[in-house]
Amino acid sequence: MSKILIIEDEESIADLEKDYLELSGFEVEIENRGDIGLKKALDEEFDLLILDLMLPEMDGFEICKKVREKKNMPIIMVSAKKDDIDKIRGLGMGADDYMTKPFSPSELVARVKAHLARYERLVNTNIQENEIVEIRGIKIDKTARRVWVNGEEKTFTTKEFDLLTFLAQNPNHVFTKEELFNKIWDMESVGDIATVTVHIKKIREKIEFNTAKPQYIETIWGVGYRFKV
Ligand code: CA
């Protein structure tokens, strides 16, 4: 449930807004002093702020500026004076919407819903996508640590995954077994460069069509391995 903070010193207006928003399923809190309202907006978690312009102790202009510096949430600014609204809109002070009092509570609810939906879309598009490495039918999702070969998911052990990913990310680069061992296995690991050979064999069994004629991880005799592009 979205939480909304109303900073408004006219009690009857604040109560009316609260009633309508609660009827629409929102959780609402009211603060009537500017300075206390700002503190609440910064200290607590709200999804949207409805901010009156003229307030005791600190005006909506100042509150909007301070909230913007710290928080990313929609702010709807309201004022009884249309001139004030025009002025602050002209200043581009960072509110998402402006409404002149008196307005219909259902109009307020509609705008609240629209802004919440818009912010949710923004947040969703900012979610980091998984890091994907894709080479000739092999798809490696580094974030989820999953691998698909020609669309079919294959299971790899931790080191197999690390080794395959490292080679695929450095295609056409020949690495010696020593280099690969040092890169993928930490120094305390039990094992030696033969471990690399064993792992390459396991990886090939999962990704190659014919392990006798590897298409992906190529053996460079006397040197090491490389991932062919
Ligand atoms: Ca006021």
Side-chain angles (χ1 to χ4, degrees):
M1 191 197 305
S2 295
K3 245 178 107 179
I4 295 168
L5 175 63
I6 298 172
I7 309 180
E8 168 67 72
D9 59 328
E10 282 171 73
E11 246 175 74
S12 57
I13 291 179
D15 288 342
L16 185 67
E17 291 173 353
K18 184 174 194 268
D19 287 348
Y20 268 82
L21 289 164
E22 282 180 345
L23 277 174
S24 299
F26 296 108
E27 199 178 313
V28 183
E29 288 191 35
I30 298 173
E31 203 50 67
N32 44 41
R33 249 176 64 177
D35 52 347
I36 298 172
L38 171 66
K39 192 172 177 335
K40 203 175 180 65
L42 294 180
D43 292 350
E44 296 174 30
E45 287 301 317
F46 290 98
D47 299 294
L48 184 141
L49 175 61
I50 296 171
L51 183 59
D52 184 28
L53 183 60
M54 301 305 288
L55 291 162
E57 303 306 323
M58 182 185 280
D59 66 22
F61 190 94
E62 199 61 29
I63 295 170
C64 184
K65 218 166 64 183
K66 294 219 153 70
V67 170
R68 270 285 173 264
E69 285 168 11
K70 298 263 164 62
K71 296 245 171 157
N72 187 24
M73 66 166 139
I75 300 174
I76 297 176
M77 184 159 284
V78 299
S79 173
K81 293 181 184 156
K82 182 153 189 328
D83 290 353
D84 286 346
I85 293 281
D86 292 341
K87 214 180 295 170
I88 55 175
R89 202 195 285 269
L91 288 170
M93 55 174 292
D96 295 81
D97 209 347
Y98 304 90
M99 296 180 82
T100 310
K101 288 190 275 192
F103 45 76
S104 80
S106 51
E107 170 68 15
L108 176 70
V109 170
R111 293 206 197 179
V112 164
K113 284 181 179 168
H115 285 290
L116 285 172
R118 187 173 59 86
Y119 261 64
E120 201 171 314
R121 280 200 303 276
L122 279 179
V123 170
N124 286 342
T125 45
N126 283 341
I127 289 172
Q128 287 264 306
E129 287 190 1
N130 285 8
E131 199 182 336
I132 308 277
V133 180
E134 221 166 349
I135 298 180
R136 291 194 293 116
I138 294 190
K139 181 175 161 187
I140 302 169
D141 184 333
K142 286 184 67 184
T143 318
R145 296 183 68 89
R146 296 170 73 184
V147 180
W148 290 263
V149 180
N150 294 319
E152 190 187 334
E153 186 166 8
K154 305 275 178 169
T155 316
F156 290 81
T157 65
T158 306
K159 293 301 178 197
E160 287 167 9
F161 181 90
D162 292 343
L163 185 55
L164 171 65
T165 304
F166 177 73
L167 288 168
Q169 278 190 303
N170 298 281
N172 281 340
H173 185 124
V174 180
F175 293 98
T176 65
K177 290 176 189 173
E178 287 84 356
E179 281 172 330
L180 292 173
F181 186 77
N182 291 337
K183 197 85 204 164
I184 307 299
W185 282 264
D186 51 51
M187 289 308 161
E188 286 86 52
S189 288
V190 183
D192 51 37
I193 57 168
T195 313
V196 176
T197 316
V198 172
H199 279 74
I200 293 284
K201 184 171 174 284
K202 292 260 169 63
I203 292 169
R204 278 179 176 154
E205 283 164 7
K206 294 170 192 179
I207 65 171
E208 299 288 357
F209 179 69
N210 178 356
T211 52
K213 289 180 182 163
Q215 297 302 305
Y216 294 105
I217 300 175
E218 197 179 18
T219 303
I220 310 297
W221 290 110
V223 189
Y225 302 101
R226 78 163 167 203
F227 196 102
K228 280 200 291 186
V229 178

